[in-house]
Amino acid sequence: QKEVEQDPGPLSVPEGAIVSLNCTYSNSAFQYFMWYRQYSRKGPELLMYTYSSGNKEDGRFTAQVDKSSKYISLFIRDSQPSDSATYLCAMLGDYKLSFGAGTTVTVRA
Amino acid sequence: DTGVSQNPRHKITKRGQNVTFRCDPISEHNRLYWYRQTLGQGPEFLTYFQNEAQLEKSRLLSDRFSAERPKGSFSTLEIQRTEQGDSAMYLCASSLAVGPRPYEQYFGPGTRLTVT
């Protein structure tokens, strides 16, 4: 079993919809929880990070962490075609990131 | 551009050949990481440096792989006797070891390796 599980999708939504992404993890040692966005054939770009359980908002993006359930989510409100990308969840223990497989999202105009 | 840079961006090589990739981290970052990403998967950790010291190597890093970071600046990743299974995107990231946000790893654009 992988340390981080993420539904690979793909996910296709109309412009303006809410995109909901999630990951589960098994390692209680993970301290930080990140979401990266990766466009095709590019490196991952850090979108958001959270440390404790709860919600964190940044513009159209909301990250949620539930440490008791080992479950994290990312919501994208008012989705735009430019949000079409692969979204990777990542967890940080001491120094290295453990990634999910990524969910490919397409926002249709 | 002050981000992480990687060269070359693409490399096509024949099985059995040696290849070397270079990563230039963000200048003030003292931690440097190498990850490997195959199609449809997230990046997997290979190794990391703090300054010039290589502090951790994944079991994914076979004896054919070697990484260096002389003088704690740029890093090189060499693969000897390449195999088709080495075909992947090799990603470099850097971060600060201490400070308010040491967990923020910034990634380069990657080097895409194809072994024929």
Side-chain angles (χ1 to χ4, degrees):
Chain A
Q1 183 184 3
K2 293 183 178 180
E3 279 190 314
V4 181
E5 298 281 355
Q6 181 177 8
D7 186 344
L11 195 60
S12 179
V13 300
E15 184 174 357
I18 295 175
V19 176
S20 174
L21 305 166
N22 56 74
C23 291
T24 59
Y25 64 96
S26 57
N27 189 345
S28 299
F30 290 140
Q31 300 175 31
Y32 293 95
F33 306 89
M34 282 82 155
W35 286 95
Y36 281 82
R37 178 174 61 195
Q38 186 173 29
Y39 293 111
S40 181
R41 298 183 178 272
K42 303 290 186 184
E45 169 195 11
L46 180 63
L47 274 179
M48 294 188 70
Y49 70 90
T50 52
Y51 174 69
S52 57
S53 286
N55 293 358
K56 181 176 181 179
E57 276 194 31
D58 184 1
R60 296 185 295 110
F61 298 88
T62 300
Q64 287 185 348
V65 174
D66 182 345
K67 285 189 174 181
S68 63
S69 300
K70 295 188 176 66
Y71 187 89
I72 72 169
S73 301
L74 178 71
F75 300 95
I76 308 173
R77 291 183 301 279
D78 188 25
S79 57
Q80 304 295 311
S82 58
D83 294 326
S84 298
T86 296
Y87 291 82
L88 297 152
C89 62
M91 324 274 174
L92 184 73
D94 290 336
Y95 50 84
K96 65 180 181 182
L97 290 170
S98 296
F99 284 87
T103 301
T104 299
V105 174
T106 301
V107 181
R108 308 185 306 272
Chain B
D1 188 346
T2 57
V4 178
S5 62
Q6 292 187 246
N7 287 288
R9 295 292 308 278
H10 305 274
K11 180 70 176 178
I12 300 174
T13 191
K14 292 184 177 180
R15 188 177 53 190
Q17 298 294 305
N18 299 344
V19 294
T20 300
F21 310 140
R22 176 177 170 130
C23 170
D24 288 89
I26 293 171
S27 58
E28 63 268 29
H29 285 181
N30 49 5
R31 282 193 175 175
L32 185 148
Y33 312 80
W34 286 98
Y35 292 82
R36 180 172 67 188
Q37 185 177 23
T38 54
L39 197 62
Q41 299 298 316
E44 293 178 293
F45 171 80
L46 293 179
T47 188
Y48 95 102
F49 294 82
Q50 182 155 319
N51 300 314
E52 65 275 9
Q54 187 174 18
L55 298 185
E56 182 71 20
K57 292 195 292 186
S58 163
R59 57 182 170 77
L60 293 175
L61 215 64
S62 76
D63 292 345
R64 296 184 297 104
F65 288 71
S66 62
E68 294 182 342
R69 192 183 182 197
K71 302 179 183 178
S73 55
F74 70 92
S75 175
T76 58
L77 178 68
E78 181 183 17
I79 309 174
Q80 296 182 325
R81 304 181 303 282
T82 52
E83 301 173 356
Q84 288 187 323
D86 297 331
S87 296
M89 173 83 92
Y90 290 84
L91 292 161
C92 176
S94 69
S95 75
L96 292 168
V98 294
R101 292 154 75 162
Y103 39 75
E104 288 191 2
Q105 294 185 19
Y106 293 88
F107 283 81
T111 295
R112 181 169 296 280
L113 173 67
T114 302
V115 181
T116 62

